[in-house]
Amino acid sequence: QVQLVESGGGLAQPGESLLLSCAASGFSFSEYWMYWVRQVPGKGLEWVSAINPGGGRTYYADSVKDRFAISRDNAKNTLYLQMNSLKSDDTAVYYCAKDGIAPRFSNPIFTNFNDYGSWGQGIQVTVSS
């Protein structure tokens, strides 16, 4: 049974940092692309970041580029999102998600959410002074 469990969210002031973690189980973590996606209540899903199975390739939405960093520890089956220089616009529920296919022989289309395999329950991040 696939499980993705996010942790590390909460309240931060503008300019501060938070580290999100996602503990994965029930599948071969090291074989899958992994993603972070966020959603503001009443709005659609926004893709935030992606990382390839080996961890050597990372991709970011323009809205978070140069502020957020995705990483993974395949030995610990854990995905991370280091969020720096937080802004009020970063306030959202953050989801960890796995790709639906492994292996892939080309990059996935990160915003094709229907191609995602499983999602975590989500964790709230609130940025406010």
Side-chain angles (χ1 to χ4, degrees), residues 87-117:
K87 305 176 181 179
S88 57
D89 287 349
D90 296 318
T91 296
V93 176
Y94 284 72
Y95 297 93
C96 161
K98 66 177 283 292
D99 199 1
I101 300 172
R104 280 192 181 267
F105 301 102
S106 61
N107 278 15
I109 300 175
F110 305 138
T111 54
N112 274 3
F113 300 127
N114 288 337
D115 290 343
Y116 286 22

Side-chain angles (χ1 to χ4, degrees), residues 28-51:
S28 296
F29 179 75
S30 63
E31 295 181 5
Y32 285 83
W33 283 81
M34 296 294 296
Y35 310 102
W36 288 100
V37 177
R38 66 188 182 185
Q39 186 172 30
V40 175
K43 296 189 177 181
L45 295 170
E46 179 188 9
W47 170 75
V48 173
S49 186
I51 187 167

Side-chain angles (χ1 to χ4, degrees), residues 5-12 17-22 36 81 83 86 90 92-95 121-127:
V5 180
E6 299 96 340
S7 61
L11 177 64
S17 299
L18 284 175
L19 174 64
L20 300 185
S21 299
C22 173
W36 288 100
L81 185 68
M83 304 187 294
L86 283 163
D90 296 318
V93 176
Y94 284 72
Y95 297 93
Q121 81 285 357
I123 193 163
Q124 178 70 45
V125 170
T126 302
V127 183

